[in-house]
Amino acid sequence: DTGVSQNPRHKITKRGQNVTFRCDPISEHNRLYWYRQTLGQGPEFLTYFQNEAQLEKSRLLSDRFSAERPKGSFSTLEIQRTEQGDSAMYLCASSWDREETQYFGPGTRLLVL
Amino acid sequence: AQTVTQSQPEMSVQEAETVTLSCTYDTSENNYYLFWYKQPPSRQMILVIRQEAYKQQNATENRFSVNFQKAAKSFSLKISDSQLGDTAMYFCAFMDRMDSSYKLIFGSGTRLLVRP
């Protein structure tokens, strides 16, 4: 069990560009979560997958954001036409269906210039 | 909507001493979990301790224990015999078991510095 991994760890982009982040959950964890953490704040829920189905999206997830989890394994989070307000740490977490504890990845830190 | 409040942005403690971090929450639900997560500098968030709301007994994990006051909606974390490796951001989090997503609602965190 290698834990939750996220790539890239850091991303610097210019405003208006598209970015994509990847999350590899702990194998056999069927629940996968994306959170966003801005400086000085706790993580905020963005979206949740059970297997390949995206079952809930926060109102924080604007139309520019899209997430996928093909085949119920890894997940991607894409931000189109990035804005400076998108600068944050994007955290991924996974859990087993009957387990309340979520296991977090190291996060992807995004800076939009 | 549920909310979680951590009123101490920063705390410091001398190595080997005891420190208590505060957390209050607001919910109308009865079936929920509470968590304390630790986020060391530039490292990933890890679970410290969790408490099931229907259990009256306070959870303990080695040097970490909680004081869960359900009526007061308070969930404080006590760290005994503080170690330098305890230096981190600590987040209190709430999970509504009736919410099928099991998503976490976090407080704003408390930065703990353990001084040598």
Side-chain angles (χ1 to χ4, degrees), chain A residues 4 9 31 33 35 37 40-45 48 50 56 91 97 99-106, chain B residues 33 35 37 39 42-47 50 91 95 97 99-109:
Chain A
V4 179
R9 295 290 307 276
R31 290 171 175 255
Y33 301 82
Y35 293 86
Q37 185 179 17
Q41 298 298 316
E44 294 176 291
F45 169 77
Y48 148 68
Q50 182 152 359
E56 187 170 337
L91 297 169
D97 204 17
E99 169 64 51
E100 291 76 19
T101 299
Q102 294 181 20
Y103 296 85
F104 283 81
Chain B
Y33 279 83
F35 303 82
Y37 277 89
Q39 189 176 40
S42 302
R43 294 179 59 188
Q44 62 204 79
M45 192 144 21
I46 57 174
L47 178 69
R50 76 178 198 186
F91 292 98
M95 176 190 287
R97 294 262 354 252
D99 177 351
S100 60
S101 74
Y102 283 14
K103 62 179 175 286
L104 292 169
I105 298 170
F106 287 89
S108 56

Side-chain angles (χ1 to χ4, degrees), chain A residues 98-101, chain B residues 2 4 25 27 29-37 47 49-55 68 70 75 92-98 102-105:
Chain A
R98 291 180 177 80
E99 169 64 51
E100 291 76 19
T101 299
Chain B
Q2 293 97 349
V4 178
Y25 59 95
T27 185
E29 302 295 334
N30 274 313
N31 189 2
Y32 54 87
Y33 279 83
L34 294 163
F35 303 82
W36 279 97
Y37 277 89
L47 178 69
I49 198 167
R50 76 178 198 186
Q51 175 80 40
E52 298 163 51
Y54 64 85
K55 288 187 176 180
F68 174 46
K70 190 171 183 178
F75 183 61
C92 178
F94 172 96
M95 176 190 287
D96 178 2
R97 294 262 354 252
M98 301 308 294
Y102 283 14
K103 62 179 175 286
L104 292 169
I105 298 170

Side-chain angles (χ1 to χ4, degrees), chain B:
Chain B
Q2 293 97 349
T3 58
V4 178
T5 301
Q6 294 180 251
S7 58
Q8 304 155 315
E10 293 185 0
M11 296 276 288
S12 70
V13 63
Q14 198 74 30
E15 192 176 9
E17 297 294 308
T18 296
V19 64
T20 299
L21 308 184
S22 301
C23 172
T24 58
Y25 59 95
D26 187 23
T27 185
S28 57
E29 302 295 334
N30 274 313
N31 189 2
Y32 54 87
Y33 279 83
L34 294 163
F35 303 82
W36 279 97
Y37 277 89
K38 168 186 177 181
Q39 189 176 40
S42 302
R43 294 179 59 188
Q44 62 204 79
M45 192 144 21
I46 57 174
L47 178 69
V48 175
I49 198 167
R50 76 178 198 186
Q51 175 80 40
E52 298 163 51
Y54 64 85
K55 288 187 176 180
Q56 291 188 335
Q57 186 173 5
N58 289 326
T60 62
E61 287 288 343
N62 301 314
R63 298 182 295 108
F64 299 88
S65 61
V66 298
N67 183 4
F68 174 46
Q69 301 289 327
K70 190 171 183 178
K73 297 180 182 174
S74 170
F75 183 61
S76 60
L77 174 69
K78 185 172 82 171
I79 306 174
S80 304
D81 185 25
S82 297
Q83 300 176 359
L84 296 179
D86 295 334
T87 291
M89 282 291 291
Y90 286 81
F91 292 98
C92 178
F94 172 96
M95 176 190 287
D96 178 2
R97 294 262 354 252
M98 301 308 294
D99 177 351
S100 60
S101 74
Y102 283 14
K103 62 179 175 286
L104 292 169
I105 298 170
F106 287 89
S108 56
T110 295
R111 184 178 304 278
L112 177 66
L113 174 66
V114 180
R115 306 186 307 273

Side-chain angles (χ1 to χ4, degrees), chain A residues 16-40:
Chain A
Q17 298 294 304
N18 299 343
V19 294
T20 300
F21 310 141
R22 176 176 170 132
C23 170
D24 287 89
I26 293 172
S27 58
E28 299 182 355
H29 275 188
N30 59 343
R31 290 171 175 255
L32 187 147
Y33 301 82
W34 285 98
Y35 293 86
R36 182 170 69 186
Q37 185 179 17
T38 54
L39 205 60

